[in-house]
Amino acid sequence: MVRSGLCQLALRPKFVPQLRCIHSEGEKWQSVATATATAASLSACANAQENLQPMQTFKYSDTTVRLAEPHQLQPKPDAAGLQFGKLFTDHMLKIEYHQRLGGWQKPVITPFENLVLHPAAKVLHYAVELFEGMKAYRGVDGRIRLFRPDMNMERMNRSAVRAGLPTFNGQELIKCLSRLVSIDQEWVPHSESSSLYIRPTLIGIDPCLGVACLESALLYAILSPVGAYFSSGFQPVSLMADPQYTRAFPGGCGDKKMGSNYAPTIHVQHEANLRGYQQVLWLYGPDEQLTEVGTMNIFVLLINESGELELVTPNLDGLILPGVTRMSILELTRGWNEFKVSERKITMAEMIHLMQNNRLVEMFGAGTACIVSPVASIHYKDITIKIPTGSQENPLYRRLERALTSIQYGRVEHPWAVPID
């Protein structure tokens, strides 16, 4: 529970001089605090903005656990009927941050419960928040594994820096999350088509209005047993590519996992569904670059001008989320050394040219929630680009799905899979 009274107490200048960064039109950021508080507060802001290695962090060894009472425990669902993000486990993790109390407080695992926030909490007004998406998998040997959690921690801290939220030691959070999963391990499905989704979230909870540096935050994590992300399973999907919609801009936050990147896409996704398409292909710029598909990174397997088989994904230029699955696919395919693998710009003009010359082979999205999702067609203006993804005898997307799930479910030993003991 976020105690608003505690936050309000921390905001009273009677106890500690306060520095706020305020922005008014036509003016630079300026201090409205006493000179004695300025240096320390500026140091905290600078740390949040520039340094991924926090000066102060919470520690797993300080974690306390309050288990749910028997009447609070829920029945475990049948793995066959699981949907994405509909059910949640019996416990959650909460870690508060209050600058005036020294920063990060001790981690607490509690029964799953609602949060209590002040109506003026920064997260509710200025979208000061971020989240991550991870999974725990029950392997064929019965052991539970996380998949490359260190990459999620690095990305979460980078998002925190951009949002002005406090950073932390990623290894300490991995330990806390592992303990949470261990407590709710009965919720990890006994199925290779299901998993336990882990949603760490960091929000600004200062109980005051004004676009300003934060003094209080809440990091929490909830768990949800999930099945397939898309109801269509591995059926290739159709995409709407409409140049009037843009997901991200240079210098923005397209490469950060923030809710403010997702809310504006909901209307466009609904429009795509009304037109009869399953997902949105996000384009950017006058040359209409492919960036992402839905909430996934995008890959195109093609035959290039030199006659080579080439796997292409857009490069990380600030517009695109640096996906964990994306990086894993790049590392796997480069390790296979069977075809050219490129991170480069790819445009709608190139896609049309490839289609006209029968050089499109496959296209698929990739992400934690879905792993890989094949694409059958792109509907762009008055053109339909058909992609023979589903007609390949041994499609690459299927091979990648098998390779990744073999690691995740322990069919092969791999350092990317981190066991929870």
Side-chain angles (χ1 to χ4, degrees):
M1 180 181 295
V2 181
R3 293 179 172 84
S4 57
L6 175 60
C7 297
Q8 290 169 335
L9 181 66
L11 287 171
R12 295 174 186 169
K14 172 182 176 182
F15 293 92
V16 181
Q18 180 183 6
L19 174 79
R20 291 183 186 173
C21 299
I22 61 171
H23 184 270
S24 58
E25 189 171 334
E27 295 180 345
K28 294 182 179 180
W29 292 84
Q30 56 184 318
S31 172
V32 292
T34 63
T36 54
T38 300
S41 297
L42 282 176
S43 176
C45 283
N47 181 59
Q49 293 169 0
E50 300 173 1
N51 189 6
L52 290 181
Q53 297 300 321
M55 296 176 62
Q56 185 265 349
T57 189
F58 52 84
K59 295 181 179 180
Y60 165 71
S61 58
D62 293 331
T63 302
T64 60
V65 177
R66 178 165 57 88
L67 296 176
E69 297 293 334
H71 70 275
Q72 295 176 298
L73 300 176
Q74 306 171 75
K76 309 305 181 288
D78 183 356
L82 288 174
Q83 297 180 346
F84 188 86
K86 300 292 186 181
L87 298 173
F88 299 95
T89 68
D90 296 318
H91 296 88
M92 65 187 297
L93 169 71
K94 292 188 288 186
I95 313 171
E96 294 187 15
Y97 175 93
H98 299 293
Q99 183 176 317
R100 293 174 181 274
L101 298 180
W104 286 109
Q105 306 301 295
K106 295 180 179 181
V108 180
I109 293 175
T110 72
F112 188 92
E113 60 189 3
N114 292 332
L115 300 178
V116 178
L117 295 175
H118 191 282
K122 288 281 193 291
V123 62
L124 303 177
H125 298 268
Y126 310 113
V128 183
E129 65 84 50
L130 58 95
F131 63 93
E132 270 300 324
M134 309 164 58
K135 284 183 176 179
Y137 306 84
R138 189 179 297 277
V140 294
D141 56 357
R143 299 183 75 187
I144 298 172
R145 296 172 173 84
L146 303 178
F147 183 73
R148 309 193 78 173
D150 55 316
M151 294 189 68
N152 294 98
M153 297 299 100
E154 180 180 355
R155 188 172 65 185
M156 192 170 182
N157 269 318
R158 291 190 182 280
S159 297
V161 168
R162 186 57 194 269
L165 286 161
T167 55
F168 53 88
N169 185 300
Q171 290 303 313
E172 295 297 323
L173 182 54
I174 290 173
K175 294 175 185 176
C176 292
L177 294 173
S178 297
R179 179 71 182 281
L180 178 63
V181 172
S182 178
I183 289 172
D184 278 345
Q185 61 182 283
E186 292 182 12
W187 286 85
V188 184
H190 292 259
S191 166
E192 291 184 53
S193 60
S194 305
S195 55
L196 186 69
Y197 190 78
I198 305 171
R199 172 54 63 86
T201 306
L202 180 57
I203 63 176
I205 60 172
D206 290 55
C208 56
L209 301 178
V211 182
C213 290
L214 293 165
E215 292 194 354
S216 294
L218 173 67
L219 193 164
Y220 68 93
I222 54 178
L223 311 176
S224 175
V226 297
Y229 186 72
F230 297 119
S231 59
S232 59
F234 268 115
Q235 292 298 313
V237 299
S238 59
L239 308 181
M240 179 189 79
D242 191 331
Q244 72 173 307
Y245 298 117
T246 302
R247 176 188 170 274
F249 294 86
C253 300
D255 59 346
K256 306 299 187 294
K257 203 164 181 66
M258 300 174 173
S260 54
N261 284 333
Y262 294 83
T265 71
I266 295 173
H267 167 75
V268 187
Q269 177 63 50
H270 181 62
E271 183 173 329
N273 295 154
L274 290 177
R275 295 187 193 180
Y277 313 127
Q278 279 94 18
Q279 288 292 318
V280 177
L281 176 60
W282 297 100
L283 307 177
Y284 170 74
D287 55 352
E288 297 175 341
Q289 303 169 35
L290 282 65
T291 60
E292 294 191 3
V293 54
T295 59
M296 301 175 287
N297 293 121
I298 192 75
F299 286 85
V300 181
L301 186 64
L302 54 87
I303 299 172
N304 63 25
E305 295 291 342
S306 301
E308 300 172 294
L309 192 62
E310 181 181 6
L311 180 66
V312 177
T313 192
N315 54 300
L316 300 179
D317 56 2
L319 298 176
I320 296 163
L321 190 72
V324 176
T325 307
R326 173 190 181 276
M327 180 55 68
S328 301
I329 288 174
L330 289 172
E331 292 178 11
L332 283 173
T333 52
R334 283 170 175 157
W336 295 343
N337 198 29
E338 297 175 9
F339 43 79
K340 185 176 182 180
V341 179
S342 302
E343 296 175 76
R344 64 170 175 83
K345 180 170 67 176
I346 183 167
T347 66
M348 285 304 301
E350 182 178 356
M351 292 293 290
I352 293 170
H353 178 71
L354 290 166
M355 176 193 69
Q356 292 172 340
N357 291 274
N358 296 315
R359 301 211 318 262
L360 276 176
V361 182
E362 290 183 43
M363 184 175 183
F364 53 89
T368 297
C370 68
I371 306 178
V372 292
S373 177
V375 174
S377 60
I378 302 171
H379 300 267
Y380 165 75
K381 297 181 179 178
D382 58 350
I383 302 171
T384 297
I385 301 174
K386 294 190 176 180
I387 306 155
T389 308
S391 61
Q392 303 301 320
E393 185 175 350
N394 295 299
L396 176 62
Y397 79 88
R398 279 285 192 181
R399 182 181 176 188
L400 287 167
E401 186 270 339
R402 287 193 296 269
L404 290 168
T405 56
S406 291
I407 295 170
Q408 292 163 345
Y409 289 97
R411 292 193 292 270
V412 298
E413 290 292 329
H414 199 285
W416 291 350
V418 181
I420 294 177
D421 296 320

